[in-house]
Amino acid sequence: MYEVNEKDVFQLRFYPEVENELAIISTHLRNMRGDHKAEIVISFLKDHCIRTDWFKENADVITLITSRFLATEHIEALFKGGRNNPVFTGEFERCISSSVS
């Protein structure tokens, strides 16, 4: 869905579908308790894994993110497309962190 070249830099304005998905995720997470919201979102949508030590304090967040209730197709596709560009992926992760924190 997304092809990221090795010299591309992440700019959210070029990915309106991703921006919409992040806004919806952020709205749902806003009032949830949890210390690792951003890390959970990034870890699950990037690699489909979550650290076990996050489960105790973040159960509601994990349930929401892993339930597939929220649309995440574009976020996941952008992670997949950017796998070979660590600078792009790092900026994308920082954007997610600031959106859901």
Side-chain angles (χ1 to χ4, degrees), residues 2-38:
Y2 297 104
E3 187 174 321
V4 177
N5 297 312
E6 62 184 44
K7 294 185 180 187
D8 289 348
V9 293
F10 176 76
Q11 293 183 40
L12 185 59
R13 65 189 171 105
F14 294 132
Y15 304 98
E17 296 90 355
V18 170
E19 189 171 19
N20 289 336
E21 288 178 359
L22 282 175
I24 292 167
I25 290 169
S26 177
T27 298
H28 279 83
L29 293 179
R30 185 173 295 128
N31 296 318
M32 290 184 148
R33 294 181 44 159
D35 295 331
H36 300 283
K37 293 177 189 178

Side-chain angles (χ1 to χ4, degrees), residues 50-60 62:
I50 297 174
R51 290 177 33 180
T52 56
D53 58 321
W54 290 339
F55 278 85
K56 184 176 181 184
E57 300 295 325
N58 301 275
D60 292 340
I62 291 169

Side-chain angles (χ1 to χ4, degrees), residues 48-100:
H48 297 107
C49 64
I50 297 174
R51 290 177 33 180
T52 56
D53 58 321
W54 290 339
F55 278 85
K56 184 176 181 184
E57 300 295 325
N58 301 275
D60 292 340
V61 174
I62 291 169
T63 299
L64 178 67
I65 296 301
T66 61
S67 71
R68 299 298 186 180
F69 172 75
L70 302 173
T72 59
E73 173 185 9
H74 292 277
I75 296 171
E76 291 179 78
L78 192 54
F79 270 126
K80 184 177 181 182
R83 286 223 187 267
N84 294 323
N85 184 332
V87 173
F88 182 94
T89 302
E91 289 298 318
F92 184 31
E93 289 177 12
R94 280 186 278 288
C95 173
I96 293 171
S97 292
S98 66
S99 294
V100 301

